[in-house]
């Protein structure tokens, strides 16, 4: 069974940066096509960024500030988040674009002064 493990969250002031990581354990799975999602309190989970077929795509709210990348050697996916805003506060999750795997615990990102 595949387990997705997100890490790297924390508390940061507006304008700050965080780098999130996603790894898979429990089975041999290549994180080739992956997405980052987030869920803010009281809101539905939303797609933030996707890496697929060597290309990337972003939600409008993330364009120009977030960068999704992959490290084949480490079989990990990352989300570099810059110029963070209070509205970026959420629990961040990784999964495939089709949400193939069970959701991990996520990693909390809090942007507050």
């Amino acid at each position: 069974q595949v387990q997705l493990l997100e890490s790297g969250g924390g508390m940061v002031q507006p304008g700050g940066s965080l780098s999130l990581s996603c790894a898979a354990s429990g089975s041999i799975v290549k994180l080739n096509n992956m997405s980052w999602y987030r869920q803010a309190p009281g809101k539905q989970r939303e797609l933030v960024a996707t890496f697929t077929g060597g290309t990337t795509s972003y939600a409008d709210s993330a364009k120009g500030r977030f960068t999704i990348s992959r490290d084949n050697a480490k079989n990990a996916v990352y989300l570099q988040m810059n110029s963070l805003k209070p509205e970026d506060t959420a629990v961040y999750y990784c999964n495939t674009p089709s949400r193939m795997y069970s959701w991990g615990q996520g990693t909390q990102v809090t942007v507050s002064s």
Side-chain angles (χ1 to χ4, degrees):
Q1 184 176 355
V2 173
Q3 285 185 311
L4 297 171
L5 306 170
E6 302 91 352
S7 62
M11 180 175 289
V12 65
Q13 292 185 341
S17 299
L18 283 173
S19 182
L20 308 183
S21 299
C22 168
S25 67
S27 181
I28 300 175
V29 58
K30 290 294 185 182
L31 302 180
N32 291 326
N33 300 320
M34 292 296 291
S35 294
W36 281 96
Y37 301 82
R38 68 186 182 188
Q39 186 167 19
K43 295 187 177 181
Q44 290 189 331
R45 195 165 299 182
E46 63 176 358
L47 179 65
V48 175
T50 295
F51 184 104
T52 180
T55 63
T56 58
S57 61
Y58 300 90
D60 287 343
S61 59
K63 285 179 181 177
R65 301 187 299 124
F66 294 3
T67 303
I68 186 171
S69 62
R70 185 184 70 188
D71 186 327
N72 288 337
K74 296 183 178 180
N75 197 28
V77 178
Y78 305 99
L79 185 68
Q80 176 65 40
M81 305 187 296
N82 299 325
S83 302
L84 283 162
K85 304 175 181 180
E87 50 264 43
D88 295 318
T89 295
V91 179
Y92 284 70
Y93 304 87
C94 62
N95 210 325
T96 68
S98 62
R99 308 184 179 195
M100 178 186 300
Y101 303 122
S102 297
W103 294 100
Q105 297 270 353
T107 186
Q108 175 71 48
V109 171
T110 302
V111 184
S112 176
S113 56

